[in-house]
Amino acid sequence: MYDAIILAGGENNEHLSKFSSQSYEAMIEIAGKPMVTFVADALAASLQVKRIFIMGPIPQLKKCTFPEDTILLEGGHTLIETIQLGIKALGHENKVLIVTADIPLLTPDAITDFLRQCDEVEADLYYPIVSKEINNKCYPGSKRTYVRFKDGTYTGGNIFLVNPAIVPQCLTVAEGLINNRKNPFKLCCLLGWGFILQFLLGTLSLTKVKERVETLLGITGSVVQSSYPELGIDVDKPSDLELVRTTFSFRI
């Protein structure tokens, strides 16, 4: 079983603030509940998750109803600092599941499938991707950031499995990769100029990217192809919020 860290400290951006007065994205209401609670509930319902740590604004999080034994911790000033504080609080060296608070469609099945695939390969960092075809089939109204590879067109997930031991050595490069995860061109710039032409021509392969990231970070990585688009449907713009709220309205 794995411990999980939910990153819930992101402030409500200027686009979403027009649709919710909440100061933090994690607290935006979906079907009458803060969306971070849906993420916590999905993790708690997964048979492979043990403890859940939620990193974010304590006063706001204390108003939420979370699964029993959920631990609330104040986040850091940056995403990387928050991850560091969360891993330190865990107090062990086992692999840790890191999840953003803005994927309220997350399901226990999606988590279980991701972790099952991770267990089949030994690596330091596991990252899920979902094909454009699967995403559009399940959520035709979803507008995602896609990258066209030689192997196909994919969008990334917002859940990671990481070996805590690699975090200190990866901080500088990892922060750049995380901050630019929504901008494929800037990501290619970080990976090196040789990747830019391949990206523009659509000849860049998943294997080449994985190998380059492994070299930059000094780790071993694994790309997990998931059939669950819920791993990557994050709420960071009005169309995402509308999609998620509409989806939950049909579930009720």
Side-chain angles (χ1 to χ4, degrees), residues 128-223:
I129 59 174
V130 180
S131 72
K132 183 177 182 179
E133 180 182 7
I134 290 176
N135 197 80
N136 286 343
K137 180 181 179 180
C138 297
Y139 297 95
S142 175
K143 298 178 181 179
R144 310 261 42 93
T145 299
Y146 291 103
V147 180
R148 181 167 62 98
F149 292 100
K150 182 180 180 180
D151 323 70
T153 302
Y154 298 93
T155 187
N158 282 50
I159 181 171
F160 315 85
L161 185 65
V162 61
N163 173 7
I166 71 168
V167 172
Q169 73 191 57
C170 299
L171 291 182
T172 302
V173 177
E175 187 164 21
L177 294 175
I178 291 173
N179 289 340
N180 292 289
R181 65 189 184 280
K182 298 287 186 179
N183 191 318
F185 184 78
K186 286 186 177 181
L187 280 177
C188 286
C189 291
L190 289 172
L191 295 175
W193 290 103
F195 282 82
I196 296 177
L197 181 60
Q198 293 180 66
F199 167 70
L200 294 174
L201 294 176
T203 59
L204 192 59
S205 71
L206 286 168
T207 300
K208 286 290 186 182
V209 173
K210 182 180 80 71
E211 291 174 350
R212 180 56 176 159
V213 171
E214 288 179 331
T215 299
L216 283 173
L217 299 180
I219 64 170
T220 56
S222 178
V223 177

